[in-house]
Amino acid sequence: MQTKKITSALISVFDKTGLEPLIEALINQGVALYSTGGTETFIRDLGHKVNAVEDLTGYPSILGGRVKTLHPKVFGGILHRSENPSDQNELQTYEIPAFDLVIVDLYPFEKTVAGNATESEIIEKIDIGGIALIRAAAKNFKDVFCISDKEDYARFIELYNSSNGATSLEDRKAFAVKAFHTSSHYDTAIFNHFNKNQNRLKLSISDAQVLRYGENPHQEGVFYGSLSDLLEQVHGKEISYNNLLDIDAAVHLMSEFYDGSPAFGILKHNNACGFAVRERLEDAYNDALAGDPVSAFGGVLISNKVIDLSTASAIHKLFCEVVIAPGYETEALALLKEKKNRIILIQKENKLPQKSLRSCLNGVLVQDKDLKTDQKSDLKTATKKGPSEEEVRDLIFASKLCKHTKSNTIVLAKNQQLLASGTGQTSRVDALHQAINKAKNFGFDLQGSVMASDAFFPFPDCVEIAHQAGINAVIQPGGSIKDQLSIDYSNEQDMCMVFTGIRHFKH
């Protein structure tokens, strides 16, 4: 049956928000209503007639409300097949009404867990009857229309009124798909709450944003997740796949500096090409830009402070794809909006997932994110000479940048400014040469600068090259069986070297 008139509806919802207009639409079409508990009372209070499910089944709600609708007279009315004579005969024999519409939501399990509820409170929010009703109605979409989300009420009312109280098979099937998503997402949330077994992985993400394309125009791309929970877009074109990757890199990098002095970063292809910490945000931007004004073209910019007009004026001279900040002064925002395609984002919070996932071969790799930030207390001086306070500050600064740069990497810094980095090289020596050459090309004096490495030095060659370039202090994880070679060379040249004991590979 392609088109079907709704004559009876079963309604049982925890959240009554938006329900009244839907009830009125059904009443206007003469639909018989069946309901339970609080929903039944809600409908009666609106002044409408409603049949109690208890009267239909002959059983009251029992076990403190745990069992209300689990009865053949309810599920028979949902699962019957209108074109099956045997089903129809049994409905008549057992006096079971045929339901054409089922409106059911689920107990707020995820919200209860997020609210730090007790174990017993969480268990009581595991819905049994509701999820069974949703699955039954969705399974029988040929005959039954299922609404499982209050966000769909308005859409249903529009469809319902435009078809004079009838529903199409196409619409019933579309809403069934949504219902199966609702039930599977709910079960996944319950499983993930109780699951402590690392051998199983279940994911369910409700929000999806279809992108213009993927990494390249011939690839399709979709972002799954609620981006608006983290970022608010206040201006600009649609965010692309590559924009999202750069934004992700920028937000994670700036999380290392979120609560400190004004900091500004410029990223390109997921790596920082400029970064600086200063007392004034405008100075931080200008010094970040000086790190690589060529790569900054078309880059992603991020600030840890509200962007003022003077900083915005400096930014406005640069073509950039994205600007991210916790806020903008009114005049600053108006100026930045003058470029119609410039994506302007407000970062709402600094809460990021604790796990990272990526596809690998025919599966998925899951790991804890690298949440370790090297601090002064982590540093172990390996050489006779220790770092000065100024060098310690720069070493930690460089280490933070190194952690968020593609391996193999070397980061060179001085006065809390990124001078240059070698990124994604197959050897650490190549990364160092790349960083030195880049710094010199942009006119930086490496005398008194520091070097950070994401992993240990198996040979002293990097330390030798760094010293010849004027670098005085080195931070690295340590741990090589040949650490002493690098230590000996540093001692001979009156350099200082500190170990952190933590490797920061980023592939």
Side-chain angles (χ1 to χ4, degrees), residues 143-350:
D143 287 300
V144 181
F145 200 110
C146 180
I147 306 176
S148 59
D149 187 340
K150 66 178 183 292
E151 300 300 325
D152 293 327
Y153 289 173
R155 181 183 168 208
F156 169 79
I157 292 171
E158 181 182 357
L159 292 171
Y160 184 69
N161 289 337
S162 65
S163 60
N164 195 30
T167 65
S168 68
L169 178 61
E170 180 182 5
D171 289 334
R172 293 195 298 274
K173 189 171 184 178
F175 272 69
V177 171
K178 175 67 176 289
F180 283 126
H181 165 72
T182 297
S183 66
S184 66
H185 179 82
Y186 193 77
D187 283 338
T188 298
I190 295 170
F191 171 82
N192 285 336
H193 173 71
F194 289 102
N195 176 45
K196 307 302 178 187
N197 188 340
Q198 297 278 340
N199 294 328
R200 298 186 181 94
L201 173 68
K202 293 185 186 297
L203 299 174
S204 179
I205 303 174
S206 298
D207 299 306
Q209 178 182 340
V210 178
L211 305 174
R212 285 175 292 167
Y213 51 81
E215 199 162 7
N216 298 293
H218 63 278
Q219 297 170 262
E220 293 183 356
V222 181
F223 174 76
Y224 292 97
S226 183
L227 191 63
S228 60
D229 289 346
L230 180 67
L231 299 161
E232 177 188 356
Q233 182 171 356
V234 295
H235 183 71
K237 63 183 180 180
E238 180 184 340
I239 298 175
S240 71
Y241 181 100
N242 291 327
N243 288 153
L244 284 168
L245 290 177
D246 282 331
I247 292 167
D248 175 77
V251 169
H252 278 88
L253 171 57
M254 190 56 79
S255 68
E256 306 280 353
F257 301 88
Y258 200 75
D259 297 319
S261 299
F264 210 103
I266 304 174
L267 287 88
K268 197 74 171 288
H269 295 290
N270 310 323
N271 293 305
C273 58
F275 203 98
V277 175
R278 293 292 181 263
E279 291 302 315
R280 294 176 63 249
L281 187 62
E282 182 183 0
D283 293 337
Y285 167 73
N286 287 329
D287 286 345
L289 179 63
D292 186 346
V294 175
S295 296
F297 183 85
V300 169
L301 280 57
I302 186 165
S303 167
N304 68 341
K305 304 297 179 186
V306 172
I307 291 181
D308 53 35
L309 180 59
S310 62
T311 306
S313 297
I315 293 171
H316 195 56
K317 300 172 185 176
L318 174 73
F319 168 72
C320 58
E321 287 273 334
V322 182
V323 182
I324 311 165
Y328 303 82
E329 291 183 355
T330 301
E331 293 179 335
L333 182 59
L335 177 62
L336 293 174
K337 282 184 174 181
E338 289 183 5
K339 298 288 178 68
K340 68 176 183 177
N341 288 328
R342 179 184 284 151
I343 297 168
I344 303 176
L345 302 173
I346 295 174
Q347 186 173 349
K348 297 179 179 179
E349 56 184 22
N350 188 37

Side-chain angles (χ1 to χ4, degrees), residues 1-4 79-89 91 98 140 142-143 169 172:
M1 184 179 294
Q2 295 294 316
T3 303
K4 195 170 189 293
L79 288 167
H80 75 97
R81 291 159 291 187
S82 60
E83 297 179 353
N84 186 308
S86 176
D87 284 6
Q88 298 310 303
N89 288 336
L91 292 188
N140 200 26
K142 287 186 176 180
D143 287 300
L169 178 61
R172 293 195 298 274

Side-chain angles (χ1 to χ4, degrees), residues 392-413:
V392 167
R393 183 192 64 183
D394 279 346
L395 287 167
I396 292 173
F397 171 84
S399 177
K400 290 178 179 179
L401 296 180
C402 196
K403 170 183 167 182
H404 293 274
T405 305
K406 195 83 167 176
S407 298
N408 287 312
T409 183
I410 292 289
V411 168
L412 306 181

